[in-house]
Amino acid sequence: MTERRETGRPRSKPAGAKGRPGGKPGNKPNHKPGPKGRPAAARGPAPEADWSEGERIAKYLARAGVASRREVERLIVEGKVTVDGRKLTSPAFKVTGKELIRVGRRTISAPEATRVWRYHKPSGLITTNVDPEGRRTIFDELPRTLPRVMTVGRLDLTTEGLLLLTNDGALARALELPASGLERTYRVRAHGTVTPEKIEKLAQGITVEGVKYQPIRAVLDRETGANNWLTVTLAEGKKREVRRALESLDLMVNRLIRVSYGPFELVDLKPGQVDEVPPDLLAQAVGHLYEGLGGGDIAPRKAPATPRKPASKSGRSGLKTAPRPAGKPRGKPGRKPDEEWSTSAERSSPKSRLGSKPSSGKLSANRKRSKPR
């Protein structure tokens, strides 16, 4: 044992030290192991600033509209992202927004406030950025004036109706999670016979091909020949959940329209139309989701102060409000039958307090009323 300790002693000497054992006494302190014994020149870089209040660079650049988080991480690995002139090699870096951030030759501005849009997705569009089969996607049809946005969940190719868009990935994730408790409501046209027993099976929860679905509320609205219109409400939103659950009960879905997502409603949006949710109503509707769900470090961000006209009482905001007494439906010449166009169980669309129609009910000068053909 003694010989091993003696022969191992020279090997414990730092590799970068000069001289032999027993050299100049002045060099001995540099040979001592541990942080205190290292020479000043051998010490590492100065400690980083406190980034505990910052945000990860990939998330920050994704909110700024540069690219997705994965794409940003790839750009960082390629050395195309710099912060205050320092080239980053790892996405494990936080910024506060006060730094000079560049991606290639482009200087990145601070991300804008969180925004949400309601979009009426038409049937026949794919909810994805790029489709390998070359089919049209919703991003091919969205207005070019929109910033970089992402979808809150997805809708199938033939499913239409309300699809939420946002520029905040953390908020999108929070809205998607079942833990948010946000219910999705659909208007469903299905071929088959609807019985109380089938409605009860959905209400108790159902398992289809090994996939268990939580209780689904279904209400039969009316029968139109061999088809039936139902209002279906669920909270999970699993892949093709409505179609698979109903098909397991011999109800073949031939039209599916999502009319609400949590507090957001389709209301009177036309297919392909996009409408932004006002910032004050957005904070009121989902402000509690900024904390605790998928992004606990997120806090409500106020949108830039822009003057906005007061909302009229007869307008529509796309947010759920207290139910009003059903009025007498008003028919319009040339409009399709209710069975073809209706997105709600009632004949008339629900009203809310924000919209574009003047409270007087009269058309403005720049809008002409066309005569029925």
Side-chain angles (χ1 to χ4, degrees):
M1 297 295 294
T2 303
E3 293 179 357
R4 290 179 182 177
R5 286 199 300 269
E6 292 294 334
T7 55
R9 199 174 285 173
R11 297 181 181 179
S12 64
K13 177 181 175 181
K18 296 182 179 181
R20 300 178 181 178
K24 295 183 180 180
N27 293 336
K28 289 183 179 180
N30 293 339
H31 299 163
K32 293 181 180 180
K36 294 183 179 180
R38 294 179 182 174
R43 292 179 180 176
E48 295 283 352
D50 182 14
W51 302 105
S52 58
E53 300 297 329
E55 186 176 29
R56 290 181 68 91
I57 182 67
K59 179 179 176 182
Y60 182 90
L61 292 179
R63 286 201 301 112
V66 175
S68 65
R69 294 192 192 184
R70 291 184 179 180
E71 182 67 15
V72 170
E73 291 176 357
R74 185 185 66 81
L75 294 174
I76 292 174
V77 173
E78 293 177 356
K80 297 181 179 180
V81 180
T82 61
V83 178
D84 290 336
R86 172 184 175 184
K87 184 182 296 185
L88 300 186
T89 57
S90 169
F93 190 88
K94 288 187 176 182
V95 293
T96 61
K98 300 178 181 179
E99 302 83 4
L100 176 61
I101 304 175
R102 297 176 65 88
V103 177
R105 298 182 179 181
R106 174 186 171 191
T107 301
I108 307 302
S109 303
E112 62 178 8
T114 296
R115 302 167 69 186
V116 172
W117 293 263
R118 295 180 302 126
Y119 171 57
H120 188 158
K121 175 194 172 297
S123 177
L125 295 181
I126 299 293
T127 309
T128 184
N129 289 33
V130 179
D131 181 51
E133 300 180 16
R135 293 170 293 184
R136 298 289 292 178
T137 73
I138 64 168
F139 296 99
D140 295 327
E141 303 296 333
L142 288 176
R144 300 301 178 186
T145 55
L146 284 180
R148 179 183 175 273
V149 296
M150 58 205 73
T151 63
V152 178
R154 295 189 177 190
L155 291 179
D156 298 334
L157 173 66
T158 57
T159 302
E160 50 192 300
L162 180 63
L163 183 64
L164 296 180
L165 309 173
T166 179
N167 61 344
D168 192 323
L171 176 60
R173 179 59 177 162
L175 293 173
E176 293 172 351
L177 289 175
S180 66
L182 299 181
E183 293 184 337
R184 291 84 155 161
T185 301
Y186 297 81
R187 293 276 291 140
V188 186
R189 188 179 65 188
H191 182 274
T193 304
V194 180
T195 64
E197 291 75 18
K198 294 180 179 180
I199 298 294
E200 182 62 24
K201 285 184 179 180
L202 293 174
Q204 293 177 354
I206 192 171
T207 301
V208 181
E209 298 180 355
V211 179
K212 184 176 181 180
Y213 298 108
Q214 297 299 319
I216 300 174
R217 299 199 310 271
V219 177
L220 176 61
D221 297 326
R222 64 180 183 272
E223 298 180 1
T224 56
N227 289 321
N228 304 275
W229 276 102
L230 302 96
T231 298
V232 177
T233 303
L234 49 92
E236 277 190 305
K238 291 182 179 178
K239 182 179 180 180
R240 300 179 63 85
E241 180 172 352
V242 176
R243 297 180 185 274
R244 290 177 176 175
L246 293 181
E247 288 173 2
S248 68
L249 301 176
D250 297 327
L251 295 173
M252 307 304 296
V253 177
N254 49 46
R255 189 174 184 189
L256 185 58
I257 311 169
R258 184 158 68 186
V259 296
S260 71
Y261 193 109
F264 306 97
E265 289 187 309
L266 183 63
V267 196
D268 59 347
L269 280 182
K270 305 300 181 184
Q273 188 176 354
V274 181
D275 182 52
E276 183 174 3
V277 179
D280 53 344
L281 295 183
L282 175 62
Q284 177 184 351
V286 295
H288 62 286
L289 293 178
Y290 281 102
E291 299 178 358
L293 286 177
D297 58 338
I298 300 177
R301 291 182 289 274
K302 297 181 180 180
T306 55
R308 183 163 53 90
K309 296 181 179 180
S312 62
K313 294 182 180 180
S314 63
R316 307 169 192 268
S317 65
L319 296 181
K320 291 184 179 179
T321 56
R324 299 185 179 184
K328 185 178 179 181
R330 295 177 297 176
K332 293 183 179 180
R335 192 167 65 180
K336 293 182 180 180
D338 289 349
E339 193 275 335
E340 292 296 333
W341 65 266
S342 178
T343 58
S344 63
E346 297 78 9
R347 297 284 178 165
S348 59
S349 300
K351 304 283 185 177
S352 58
R353 67 180 185 277
L354 291 182
S356 58
K357 192 173 182 180
S359 57
S360 63
K362 297 181 180 179
L363 295 177
S364 57
N366 57 353
R367 296 177 61 185
K368 298 182 180 179
R369 187 187 299 274
S370 59
K371 295 182 180 180
R373 296 179 180 177

